[in-house]
Each structure stands twice: as structure tokens, then as C-alpha cells.
Amino acid sequence: MSIRTIEWKNNYIRMIDQTKLPQKLVYLNIKDIESLWQAIKLLKVRGAPALGGAAGLGAYLGIRNSRAVNYLQFEKELGRVCDYLASSRPTAINLFWGLERMMRVSQANKNKSILEIKKMLFKEAQMIIEEDRASCRQIGNFGEKLFCDNDSVLTICNTGILATIDYGTALGVIYRAQEVGKRLKIYACETRPLLQGARLTTWELKRKNMDVTLICDSMAASLMQQGKIKKVIAGADRIAANGDTANKIGTSSLAILAKYHKIPFYIAAPVSTFDLNIKSGKEIPIEQRNPAEITELFFKNRVAPRGIKVFNPAFDVTPNALISAIITDKGVIRPPYLKNICSYLK
Amino acid sequence: MSIRTIEWKNNYIRMIDQTKLPQKLVYLNIKDIESLWQAIKLLKVRGAPALGGAAGLGAYLGIRNSRAVNYLQFEKELGRVCDYLASSRPTAINLFWGLERMMRVSQANKNKSILEIKKMLFKEAQMIIEEDRASCRQIGNFGEKLFCDNDSVLTICNTGILATIDYGTALGVIYRAQEVGKRLKIYACETRPLLQGARLTTWELKRKNMDVTLICDSMAASLMQQGKIKKVIAGADRIAANGDTANKIGTSSLAILAKYHKIPFYIAAPVSTFDLNIKSGKEIPIEQRNPAEITELFFKNRVAPRGIKVFNPAFDVTPNALISAIITDKGVIRPPYLKNICSYLK
């Protein structure tokens, strides 16, 4: 049975509520942009590429009932919708990229009727989704060549079907390697605080009958020391022009540990994740999240004293020097990144 | 109000049930060695030095009602008690060290009456406790000199009052630095899976009005990258003759991250934590614990799919090359460890 992370269905956005996994596979019908904003904020839908899809569908959802009588009025409404959705989470570039793409389509068709523009926007949102599906397949095709039969692979967070429209980025590479006959052993970091690795990655990999072992984030060094990890692969939320990569908190730690143990460390992401407007990772805004994510396990069990100070960044930045290669839908980019990213993305 | 991690009181072992913290400060009366074994296994009492104390009190608890009529019979009984308690957890050397010390006292007094030997054993157990108290103070005295006013310090697990009889090892150094007027900012790793950092360290430090910030284990690299960590300090469960140190899982990861960021990494432990019978960390047995510690948050909330494979080592080994100094109750040991440990411990 195939699953759909996010799609347009019966006149609404339909998405898996990822906060309910692995206990229950529950779908949500999102009927207004306020609900979508909440769903993004609370990580009911997450993963940079999936947020690109949510941006397209969300922009359309926000203006499809617009009563604007002229283009200026319509554009203003669409701008408000996009600004609002953009305020949900600051780090993943795909969200902004998707919203901007919708704005551009509107502007490019300003001479058409409002009804016509709405249709174009719907088509664009669907195109973002179809393109993501195709680009994940391409990432898989390019990336699987870096893996060998019997490799044991460490990964963090969730970068699979649930983080994209379909298939995945880092997990897409793993799925593709498996499809071409390479047997991989996967170690999944649980990914504190919200446990996307424990809850989502193990669930996805188990569904596909893959060999997956769950570990706490703090156990990666121990496995590497014992020679049990041959490759590390992670996704990305934003990649700067020099290759510095923002991804789930804990990723840069794995990259340093991999360097120390001389293990290749790969990033897998579609080109929509690159932000060539920023020169280095220092410029990437890092989302700080609710302390209760750490002090109360899923807002149910308090594990730290009340009033304790907490540092809870959702992402960290892995310096380009620690990345062996960036696997994209246009090919595998190797250092020097400043030069090579530019030529691949042209 | 001062707290007592473990002590002999009203004819029983009285200890804090550390699994109930930080919610409740509950004391347990341990009346038989089976309950003590369980308490150790379930980490109601934990921390290498505290386990040394538990060993002494436990050995006495196990034989104080012995009806042995001759020494041979008594020694056999004591041996059975010690073997049983030794089977609770395999890594922390202090447990075995405490039990062996009790055996030696019995053997050294074999010509005395059974009643007399029992008295000697009670005295020895009390001495282990008093010595631990004194040795933690010494660790604090030696260690605080390595810290400067306004240092920000990262630590893992719990190495304070709750891990010892009183004061602590790594946290003892921090307490002492504070006492001599150095203001430290402490970052506490939550320490998955059982969250000793989140539950115990923050509780202890808050009680002492110290400046403590809780982080997930995966966030250490991010703080270091931002220049927010000046020193790292951890405890130890067993130190080999060459300085390789077994400690809570995640410690070796911090040591590698510290090396990469050129931050000093210290171990603090009493000399009872050294095991000169083993040459390197490779020989230290590492306890593997219940997968449910990771897949079910405190055995209440399932966070991973049923039947998923799990890797759950309680400890890892930090290679000696990553350790800037080992702070002991006999002084601060620097590399080369093979030579210097030997001369300090003679």
C-alpha cells in the first residue's frame, strides 16, 4: 500500500499527521491556511521537500476562494497568504522557494483573468509535487552508486517518503540502492527531541522490509568506533552557496564523528534546497523551538525540573569541509563546493 | 537541606529512588539484597562511586543475619552475597572494588568471631562511604584549578551528589569552583535514554542555585561551533591502565567533538574507578540494556514501531588520546597516561 505524505484531494489538502506515527496512520483534511500553518509549526507535516509541496498547495488553498476583482487586489491577497505561511518555520528554504514560485506564476499571468490565474496556480502546485517526486528518483539514481552491497549506513531524522512527496532524499538513495540489489544495514538515530528517526524512519524502513536498527543520537560514536558504520547520509533544510548545510540538529555532530573515524559523510537534497543568495552557513536562520519539547516528553511526562533553562535549536550547520559529497537531482556535487555548486545549478 | 544518596539508617539501607526524580524526592528502605540488586539494575541508585557505597552496605546487609557457625561457612555466604550483587551491572568497577574490599576485610579477620567479623564489615562499609565523601572533596580541590571565572562547561549524565555519597566527581569539581568564587555556566546533556542529565543533574544544580541550561545530547556540537563551550567534564565508570575511560554512552562523542573544536576534555573520578588489571578500553565489558528504554519513553509511551531492532549500550569508551587530563582524589593526571597513572596510583 503506497502512502501520500501530502496531496490535493476532494477540494482540500490531505496530509498524514506525522505526530501520530508510528502508533496510527491518520490523515488530516486541511481546509484553511490557519490549519496548515499550525500543521507546519507542529510538524504534522515536515521535511524540507514536503514543505515545498505544502507551500504550493497552501498558496492555492489560501486564494482559491478569493473574490478579488482585479489583479492588484488578487496579488495583494496572495502575498498576504504567502507571507503568513512563510512565518510558520524559518529554516527550510523549500517553503519559501515554493511560495515564491507561486507568486511568480501569478505575476507572469497578470493579464489573464483571476479565474485563469487560479487555475495556473493550482497547476503550479501540482507541478511542484510532480517535480519533487521525479527529483527524489533522480537523487536516488545518482546516490545509490556511492553505496556498496552490505554497507552499513547511519542516518538521522526522517528523509524518506514522509519528508518528501514520495520516496525521499537520503532515504531515497537507500531505497534505490536496495532496489538495484544492494543489501544495506541501516542505523537510524532517534533524533531528539521530536524523535523523527525513532517514530518515522524506522516505521518507513520497516514497511519496506529493510534491515533497520534504532539508536540514540549519542550512540553513533560508539558504533563508528566499533567499525560498524561504513557511510553516513543525511538530508538538508538549506544549503548555502559554499556547501555549508543546515539540517536537523545533530547532523553536524555526525559529520564531525564521521571525519574523525574516516567515514564518508553525504548530504542528499534536491536543488530547491540550495540558497545561492547566502554565502555561508552563518547566514542561515536557525529556528529555536519550544523548551517543552525537551523538558516534557511529548508534552505528557515532565523529565526536567520546572523553570529550567533550555537550548532547543531545531537545526545545526555542517561546515562544507566535513561533507564528502552532496547528492542532488542534477548529479553528485563534490568539493570544491563554491565552484561546483555554481556550475551544477546553472 | 542536605540529601543522602545512600546510607545505613534504622538497620536498613536507605537510598533516594533516583527514578522518581525530579518529580519527587522519595527514599527507599532496602531490607534485603534482592531489593538492592533490583535497585541497582533499575538505576534507582547509580553512579560509579555510589555503587561502591552500595556494594559495602549491600555485602553487610547480606550477611548481618548470617547463622554461620564457623569462618569457612561465613566466607562462603559472604562470597555468594558478593557474587550475586556483582551480577547486577557489569561496567562500573567501583561495585566490584567495594565487594572485594569487603571480602578482604573478612579474610583478614578470619581468626575473629563471626560477630566480630560482622562488626568489622559494618565498619568497612561505613569507611567506604566516608572515604568517598573525602575523595570527592579532594577531586573538587584538585579539579577546580582547571576552571576559570565565567567558564561555560558542558557535562553529561549525572556525576554529582546523586552519583556519589556526597558532592560528586565531575559536578564536585564544578561545585568546588563555585565555592571558591568562580561563576560557571553549565550546559547539561540530557543523556538519553534514561535522561540522568535532564532529571538529576539539572535538579541538583538548580538546588544549588547554579546557572544550568539543558540540551539534547545532539546539540553539543552546535554549542561548540558557536564558541559557547570552554571546557567539557565527565565522570567515569571504569578507567583502564592506559587512561581509556568507560563512561555513560555519549561521552566519547563529546570527547571527539571537543577535540575537533580544540576544547579541553576532562574526566573526574576517584582512584577506585581505575582498573589496572586491564590494559586498554577494549577489555572493558559494556552493559547492553533493555531496548524498551529507547522504544518506550519511561515504559509509558511507545515511540518506535513494535519489534524494531535496537542497539542500547549503557556506556562507551573514550580513547585516552582525547582526554586532556584525569582529575582524581590523588591529583590531576596528564598524558602520557600509561606512565603517569601508574605513578599516581602507587
Side-chain angles (χ1 to χ4, degrees), chain B residues 60-107:
Chain B
Y60 175 69
L61 180 70
I63 53 77
R64 66 167 175 161
N65 293 326
S66 163
R67 292 176 187 172
V69 289
N70 60 48
Y71 179 73
L72 273 183
Q73 215 179 328
F74 181 79
E75 192 187 30
K76 218 170 173 177
E77 270 186 45
L78 180 62
R80 268 203 305 269
V81 167
C82 290
D83 286 349
Y84 173 68
L85 290 175
S87 71
S88 57
R89 297 192 71 195
T91 305
I93 188 72
N94 315 57
L95 178 65
F96 313 117
W97 165 88
L99 294 170
E100 275 162 29
R101 211 168 131 164
M102 297 296 277
M103 288 296 293
R104 275 202 305 275
V105 163
S106 169
Q107 281 151 10

Short mmCIF file of all heavy atoms in Angstrom, two decimals, chain B residues 60-107:
data_model
loop_
_atom_site.label_atom_id
_atom_site.label_comp_id
_atom_site.label_asym_id
_atom_site.label_seq_id
_atom_site.Cartn_x
_atom_site.Cartn_y
_atom_site.Cartn_z
N TYR B 60 27.26 -6.12 53.69
CA TYR B 60 26.91 -6.23 55.11
C TYR B 60 25.45 -6.65 55.30
O TYR B 60 25.14 -7.55 56.09
CB TYR B 60 27.18 -4.91 55.84
CG TYR B 60 26.74 -4.95 57.27
CD1 TYR B 60 27.40 -5.75 58.19
CD2 TYR B 60 25.62 -4.21 57.70
CE1 TYR B 60 26.97 -5.84 59.51
CE2 TYR B 60 25.19 -4.28 59.02
CZ TYR B 60 25.87 -5.09 59.92
OH TYR B 60 25.44 -5.18 61.21
N LEU B 61 24.56 -5.99 54.54
CA LEU B 61 23.13 -6.34 54.62
C LEU B 61 22.93 -7.83 54.38
O LEU B 61 22.10 -8.48 55.03
CB LEU B 61 22.36 -5.53 53.58
CG LEU B 61 20.84 -5.74 53.50
CD1 LEU B 61 20.15 -5.16 54.73
CD2 LEU B 61 20.26 -5.10 52.23
N GLY B 62 23.70 -8.38 53.44
CA GLY B 62 23.53 -9.77 53.04
C GLY B 62 24.00 -10.78 54.08
O GLY B 62 23.54 -11.92 54.08
N ILE B 63 24.92 -10.38 54.97
CA ILE B 63 25.45 -11.38 55.92
C ILE B 63 25.19 -11.04 57.39
O ILE B 63 25.54 -11.80 58.27
CB ILE B 63 26.96 -11.61 55.73
CG1 ILE B 63 27.75 -10.30 55.78
CG2 ILE B 63 27.24 -12.37 54.44
CD1 ILE B 63 27.96 -9.73 57.13
N ARG B 64 24.55 -9.89 57.62
CA ARG B 64 24.45 -9.50 59.03
C ARG B 64 23.60 -10.47 59.85
O ARG B 64 23.79 -10.61 61.03
CB ARG B 64 23.92 -8.07 59.17
CG ARG B 64 22.50 -7.95 58.69
CD ARG B 64 21.91 -6.65 59.13
NE ARG B 64 20.60 -6.55 58.54
CZ ARG B 64 19.67 -5.73 58.98
NH1 ARG B 64 19.93 -4.94 59.98
NH2 ARG B 64 18.50 -5.71 58.40
N ASN B 65 22.66 -11.14 59.21
CA ASN B 65 21.87 -12.13 59.93
C ASN B 65 22.37 -13.56 59.70
O ASN B 65 21.67 -14.53 59.97
CB ASN B 65 20.40 -12.03 59.54
CG ASN B 65 19.80 -10.71 60.00
OD1 ASN B 65 20.18 -10.19 61.06
ND2 ASN B 65 18.90 -10.15 59.20
N SER B 66 23.58 -13.67 59.19
CA SER B 66 24.15 -15.00 58.93
C SER B 66 24.17 -15.83 60.23
O SER B 66 24.49 -15.31 61.30
CB SER B 66 25.58 -14.86 58.40
OG SER B 66 26.26 -16.09 58.53
N ARG B 67 23.82 -17.11 60.08
CA ARG B 67 23.90 -18.01 61.24
C ARG B 67 25.10 -18.94 61.12
O ARG B 67 25.14 -19.98 61.77
CB ARG B 67 22.62 -18.81 61.35
CG ARG B 67 21.43 -17.93 61.71
CD ARG B 67 20.15 -18.72 61.73
NE ARG B 67 19.00 -17.84 61.91
CZ ARG B 67 17.76 -18.24 61.82
NH1 ARG B 67 17.50 -19.51 61.55
NH2 ARG B 67 16.77 -17.39 62.00
N ALA B 68 26.04 -18.55 60.26
CA ALA B 68 27.23 -19.38 60.07
C ALA B 68 27.89 -19.62 61.43
O ALA B 68 27.95 -18.73 62.26
CB ALA B 68 28.21 -18.68 59.14
N VAL B 69 28.36 -20.86 61.63
CA VAL B 69 28.97 -21.19 62.93
C VAL B 69 30.49 -21.25 62.85
O VAL B 69 31.17 -21.34 63.85
CB VAL B 69 28.43 -22.54 63.48
CG1 VAL B 69 26.98 -22.36 63.93
CG2 VAL B 69 28.55 -23.64 62.44
N ASN B 70 31.02 -21.21 61.62
CA ASN B 70 32.47 -21.13 61.51
C ASN B 70 32.84 -20.22 60.34
O ASN B 70 31.99 -19.87 59.51
CB ASN B 70 33.09 -22.52 61.33
CG ASN B 70 32.57 -23.21 60.08
OD1 ASN B 70 32.53 -22.62 59.00
ND2 ASN B 70 32.13 -24.46 60.24
N TYR B 71 34.14 -19.88 60.27
CA TYR B 71 34.54 -18.89 59.28
C TYR B 71 34.31 -19.36 57.85
O TYR B 71 33.83 -18.60 57.00
CB TYR B 71 36.00 -18.47 59.45
CG TYR B 71 36.37 -17.46 58.39
CD1 TYR B 71 35.89 -16.15 58.47
CD2 TYR B 71 37.10 -17.83 57.27
CE1 TYR B 71 36.16 -15.23 57.47
CE2 TYR B 71 37.37 -16.92 56.25
CZ TYR B 71 36.89 -15.62 56.36
OH TYR B 71 37.13 -14.72 55.36
N LEU B 72 34.65 -20.61 57.57
CA LEU B 72 34.52 -21.11 56.21
C LEU B 72 33.10 -20.97 55.70
O LEU B 72 32.84 -20.52 54.58
CB LEU B 72 34.95 -22.58 56.13
CG LEU B 72 36.45 -22.78 55.92
CD1 LEU B 72 36.76 -24.26 55.78
CD2 LEU B 72 36.93 -22.00 54.69
N GLN B 73 32.18 -21.35 56.57
CA GLN B 73 30.75 -21.24 56.25
C GLN B 73 30.39 -19.76 55.99
O GLN B 73 29.70 -19.43 55.03
CB GLN B 73 29.96 -21.77 57.44
CG GLN B 73 28.68 -22.49 57.04
CD GLN B 73 27.97 -23.00 58.29
OE1 GLN B 73 28.60 -23.36 59.29
NE2 GLN B 73 26.64 -23.02 58.24
N PHE B 74 30.90 -18.90 56.86
CA PHE B 74 30.61 -17.46 56.75
C PHE B 74 31.17 -16.89 55.44
O PHE B 74 30.50 -16.15 54.73
CB PHE B 74 31.20 -16.71 57.95
CG PHE B 74 30.93 -15.24 57.92
CD1 PHE B 74 29.69 -14.74 58.30
CD2 PHE B 74 31.90 -14.34 57.49
CE1 PHE B 74 29.42 -13.37 58.25
CE2 PHE B 74 31.64 -12.98 57.43
CZ PHE B 74 30.40 -12.49 57.82
N GLU B 75 32.40 -17.26 55.14
CA GLU B 75 33.05 -16.72 53.95
C GLU B 75 32.29 -17.15 52.69
O GLU B 75 32.15 -16.38 51.73
CB GLU B 75 34.50 -17.18 53.86
CG GLU B 75 35.26 -16.40 52.80
CD GLU B 75 36.66 -16.93 52.55
OE1 GLU B 75 36.89 -18.14 52.71
OE2 GLU B 75 37.53 -16.12 52.18
N LYS B 76 31.82 -18.38 52.71
CA LYS B 76 31.05 -18.89 51.57
C LYS B 76 29.78 -18.06 51.39
O LYS B 76 29.43 -17.66 50.29
CB LYS B 76 30.67 -20.35 51.86
CG LYS B 76 30.73 -21.25 50.64
CD LYS B 76 30.57 -22.68 51.09
CE LYS B 76 30.45 -23.64 49.93
NZ LYS B 76 30.38 -25.03 50.44
N GLU B 77 29.12 -17.79 52.51
CA GLU B 77 27.89 -16.97 52.46
C GLU B 77 28.18 -15.58 51.92
O GLU B 77 27.48 -15.06 51.05
CB GLU B 77 27.29 -16.84 53.86
CG GLU B 77 26.30 -17.94 54.18
CD GLU B 77 25.62 -17.68 55.52
OE1 GLU B 77 25.20 -16.52 55.77
OE2 GLU B 77 25.53 -18.63 56.32
N LEU B 78 29.24 -14.98 52.46
CA LEU B 78 29.62 -13.63 52.01
C LEU B 78 29.97 -13.66 50.52
O LEU B 78 29.58 -12.75 49.76
CB LEU B 78 30.81 -13.10 52.82
CG LEU B 78 31.31 -11.70 52.44
CD1 LEU B 78 30.23 -10.64 52.66
CD2 LEU B 78 32.56 -11.33 53.26
N GLY B 79 30.67 -14.69 50.10
CA GLY B 79 31.03 -14.84 48.69
C GLY B 79 29.79 -14.90 47.81
O GLY B 79 29.72 -14.26 46.75
N ARG B 80 28.80 -15.66 48.27
CA ARG B 80 27.55 -15.77 47.49
C ARG B 80 26.85 -14.41 47.38
O ARG B 80 26.37 -14.04 46.33
CB ARG B 80 26.61 -16.79 48.14
CG ARG B 80 26.77 -18.21 47.59
CD ARG B 80 25.51 -19.04 47.82
NE ARG B 80 25.10 -19.07 49.22
CZ ARG B 80 25.51 -20.00 50.10
NH1 ARG B 80 26.31 -20.97 49.71
NH2 ARG B 80 25.10 -19.96 51.35
N VAL B 81 26.81 -13.70 48.50
CA VAL B 81 26.20 -12.36 48.52
C VAL B 81 26.92 -11.45 47.53
O VAL B 81 26.29 -10.76 46.71
CB VAL B 81 26.25 -11.75 49.95
CG1 VAL B 81 25.92 -10.26 49.91
CG2 VAL B 81 25.29 -12.50 50.87
N CYS B 82 28.24 -11.46 47.59
CA CYS B 82 29.03 -10.56 46.73
C CYS B 82 28.88 -10.94 45.26
O CYS B 82 28.72 -10.06 44.40
CB CYS B 82 30.50 -10.57 47.15
SG CYS B 82 30.76 -9.76 48.74
N ASP B 83 28.94 -12.24 44.95
CA ASP B 83 28.76 -12.67 43.56
C ASP B 83 27.40 -12.23 43.03
O ASP B 83 27.26 -11.79 41.89
CB ASP B 83 28.87 -14.20 43.44
CG ASP B 83 30.31 -14.67 43.59
OD1 ASP B 83 31.21 -13.82 43.57
OD2 ASP B 83 30.51 -15.89 43.74
N TYR B 84 26.39 -12.38 43.87
CA TYR B 84 25.04 -12.01 43.46
C TYR B 84 24.95 -10.50 43.17
O TYR B 84 24.49 -10.08 42.11
CB TYR B 84 24.05 -12.40 44.56
CG TYR B 84 22.65 -11.92 44.33
CD1 TYR B 84 21.88 -12.43 43.28
CD2 TYR B 84 22.08 -10.93 45.14
CE1 TYR B 84 20.59 -11.99 43.05
CE2 TYR B 84 20.80 -10.47 44.92
CZ TYR B 84 20.05 -11.00 43.88
OH TYR B 84 18.78 -10.55 43.66
N LEU B 85 25.46 -9.69 44.08
CA LEU B 85 25.40 -8.24 43.87
C LEU B 85 26.25 -7.82 42.67
O LEU B 85 25.88 -6.92 41.91
CB LEU B 85 25.85 -7.50 45.13
CG LEU B 85 24.87 -7.59 46.31
CD1 LEU B 85 25.48 -6.93 47.55
CD2 LEU B 85 23.53 -6.94 45.97
N ALA B 86 27.37 -8.52 42.46
CA ALA B 86 28.26 -8.20 41.34
C ALA B 86 27.57 -8.46 40.00
O ALA B 86 27.96 -7.90 38.98
CB ALA B 86 29.54 -9.01 41.43
N SER B 87 26.55 -9.31 40.00
CA SER B 87 25.87 -9.67 38.74
C SER B 87 24.84 -8.63 38.31
O SER B 87 24.21 -8.76 37.27
CB SER B 87 25.19 -11.03 38.88
OG SER B 87 24.06 -10.93 39.74
N SER B 88 24.68 -7.57 39.11
CA SER B 88 23.63 -6.58 38.78
C SER B 88 24.01 -5.72 37.57
O SER B 88 23.22 -5.52 36.67
CB SER B 88 23.32 -5.70 39.99
OG SER B 88 24.50 -5.05 40.44
N ARG B 89 25.24 -5.22 37.56
CA ARG B 89 25.69 -4.39 36.43
C ARG B 89 27.18 -4.64 36.17
O ARG B 89 27.96 -4.68 37.11
CB ARG B 89 25.43 -2.89 36.69
CG ARG B 89 23.94 -2.55 36.84
CD ARG B 89 23.71 -1.05 36.81
NE ARG B 89 23.91 -0.49 35.48
CZ ARG B 89 24.06 0.82 35.24
NH1 ARG B 89 24.03 1.68 36.24
NH2 ARG B 89 24.23 1.26 34.00
N PRO B 90 27.59 -4.72 34.91
CA PRO B 90 28.96 -5.20 34.61
C PRO B 90 30.03 -4.14 34.44
O PRO B 90 31.21 -4.47 34.45
CB PRO B 90 28.76 -5.93 33.28
CG PRO B 90 27.67 -5.18 32.61
CD PRO B 90 26.77 -4.67 33.70
N THR B 91 29.69 -2.87 34.24
CA THR B 91 30.72 -1.94 33.77
C THR B 91 31.43 -1.17 34.88
O THR B 91 32.66 -1.12 34.93
CB THR B 91 30.12 -0.98 32.71
OG1 THR B 91 29.55 -1.77 31.67
CG2 THR B 91 31.20 -0.08 32.12
N ALA B 92 30.68 -0.56 35.79
CA ALA B 92 31.31 0.27 36.83
C ALA B 92 32.18 -0.60 37.73
O ALA B 92 31.70 -1.53 38.38
CB ALA B 92 30.26 1.01 37.65
N ILE B 93 33.46 -0.28 37.77
CA ILE B 93 34.41 -1.09 38.53
C ILE B 93 34.19 -0.93 40.03
O ILE B 93 34.45 -1.84 40.82
CB ILE B 93 35.86 -0.73 38.13
CG1 ILE B 93 36.88 -1.68 38.77
CG2 ILE B 93 36.19 0.70 38.49
CD1 ILE B 93 36.88 -3.04 38.17
N ASN B 94 33.69 0.24 40.45
CA ASN B 94 33.58 0.53 41.88
C ASN B 94 32.71 -0.47 42.61
O ASN B 94 32.91 -0.75 43.79
CB ASN B 94 33.01 1.95 42.09
CG ASN B 94 33.68 2.95 41.18
OD1 ASN B 94 33.67 2.78 39.98
ND2 ASN B 94 34.26 4.00 41.76
N LEU B 95 31.72 -1.02 41.91
CA LEU B 95 30.86 -2.05 42.50
C LEU B 95 31.72 -3.25 42.91
O LEU B 95 31.67 -3.71 44.07
CB LEU B 95 29.80 -2.46 41.48
CG LEU B 95 28.81 -3.56 41.86
CD1 LEU B 95 27.91 -3.14 43.01
CD2 LEU B 95 27.95 -3.95 40.65
N PHE B 96 32.54 -3.74 42.00
CA PHE B 96 33.39 -4.91 42.27
C PHE B 96 34.47 -4.58 43.30
O PHE B 96 34.79 -5.37 44.17
CB PHE B 96 34.02 -5.42 40.97
CG PHE B 96 33.02 -5.53 39.86
CD1 PHE B 96 33.15 -4.77 38.72
CD2 PHE B 96 31.92 -6.37 39.99
CE1 PHE B 96 32.20 -4.84 37.70
CE2 PHE B 96 30.97 -6.45 38.98
CZ PHE B 96 31.11 -5.68 37.84
N TRP B 97 35.00 -3.37 43.14
CA TRP B 97 36.03 -2.89 44.07
C TRP B 97 35.49 -2.89 45.51
O TRP B 97 36.14 -3.34 46.44
CB TRP B 97 36.45 -1.49 43.61
CG TRP B 97 37.23 -0.67 44.59
CD1 TRP B 97 38.58 -0.66 44.76
CD2 TRP B 97 36.69 0.27 45.52
NE1 TRP B 97 38.92 0.23 45.74
CE2 TRP B 97 37.78 0.81 46.23
CE3 TRP B 97 35.40 0.71 45.84
CZ2 TRP B 97 37.62 1.77 47.23
CZ3 TRP B 97 35.24 1.66 46.84
CH2 TRP B 97 36.34 2.18 47.52
N GLY B 98 34.27 -2.40 45.69
CA GLY B 98 33.65 -2.35 47.03
C GLY B 98 33.42 -3.76 47.58
O GLY B 98 33.70 -4.04 48.75
N LEU B 99 32.93 -4.64 46.73
CA LEU B 99 32.65 -6.01 47.17
C LEU B 99 33.96 -6.73 47.53
O LEU B 99 34.02 -7.43 48.55
CB LEU B 99 31.92 -6.78 46.06
CG LEU B 99 30.50 -6.25 45.74
CD1 LEU B 99 29.95 -6.91 44.47
CD2 LEU B 99 29.54 -6.46 46.91
N GLU B 100 35.00 -6.52 46.73
CA GLU B 100 36.28 -7.17 47.02
C GLU B 100 36.88 -6.66 48.32
O GLU B 100 37.48 -7.41 49.08
CB GLU B 100 37.28 -6.91 45.87
CG GLU B 100 37.13 -7.91 44.74
CD GLU B 100 37.78 -7.42 43.45
OE1 GLU B 100 38.76 -6.64 43.53
OE2 GLU B 100 37.28 -7.80 42.37
N ARG B 101 36.69 -5.39 48.55
CA ARG B 101 37.20 -4.80 49.79
C ARG B 101 36.54 -5.46 50.99
O ARG B 101 37.21 -5.76 51.99
CB ARG B 101 36.86 -3.30 49.75
CG ARG B 101 37.85 -2.46 50.46
CD ARG B 101 37.65 -1.01 50.17
NE ARG B 101 37.65 -0.30 51.45
CZ ARG B 101 37.80 1.01 51.58
NH1 ARG B 101 37.96 1.77 50.51
NH2 ARG B 101 37.80 1.57 52.77
N MET B 102 35.25 -5.72 50.90
CA MET B 102 34.52 -6.38 51.99
C MET B 102 35.03 -7.82 52.16
O MET B 102 35.22 -8.28 53.29
CB MET B 102 33.02 -6.38 51.68
CG MET B 102 32.40 -4.98 51.60
SD MET B 102 32.46 -4.04 53.15
CE MET B 102 31.00 -4.70 53.97
N MET B 103 35.27 -8.51 51.05
CA MET B 103 35.79 -9.88 51.12
C MET B 103 37.16 -9.89 51.82
O MET B 103 37.43 -10.76 52.65
CB MET B 103 35.95 -10.47 49.70
CG MET B 103 34.65 -10.83 48.98
SD MET B 103 33.69 -12.16 49.78
CE MET B 103 34.78 -13.57 49.54
N ARG B 104 37.98 -8.91 51.45
CA ARG B 104 39.33 -8.87 52.03
C ARG B 104 39.30 -8.62 53.53
O ARG B 104 40.07 -9.23 54.28
CB ARG B 104 40.16 -7.78 51.34
CG ARG B 104 40.84 -8.26 50.06
CD ARG B 104 42.04 -7.37 49.71
NE ARG B 104 41.68 -5.96 49.63
CZ ARG B 104 41.17 -5.38 48.53
NH1 ARG B 104 40.97 -6.08 47.44
NH2 ARG B 104 40.86 -4.10 48.54
N VAL B 105 38.38 -7.77 53.98
CA VAL B 105 38.26 -7.50 55.41
C VAL B 105 37.86 -8.77 56.14
O VAL B 105 38.38 -9.09 57.22
CB VAL B 105 37.25 -6.36 55.67
CG1 VAL B 105 36.81 -6.34 57.12
CG2 VAL B 105 37.86 -5.02 55.27
N SER B 106 36.94 -9.49 55.55
CA SER B 106 36.52 -10.74 56.16
C SER B 106 37.71 -11.70 56.27
O SER B 106 37.99 -12.26 57.34
CB SER B 106 35.38 -11.35 55.32
OG SER B 106 35.12 -12.65 55.73
N GLN B 107 38.42 -11.84 55.16
CA GLN B 107 39.56 -12.77 55.15
C GLN B 107 40.66 -12.36 56.14
O GLN B 107 41.25 -13.20 56.81
CB GLN B 107 40.13 -12.87 53.73
CG GLN B 107 39.29 -13.79 52.84
CD GLN B 107 39.34 -13.41 51.36
OE1 GLN B 107 40.13 -12.56 50.96
NE2 GLN B 107 38.47 -14.04 50.57
#
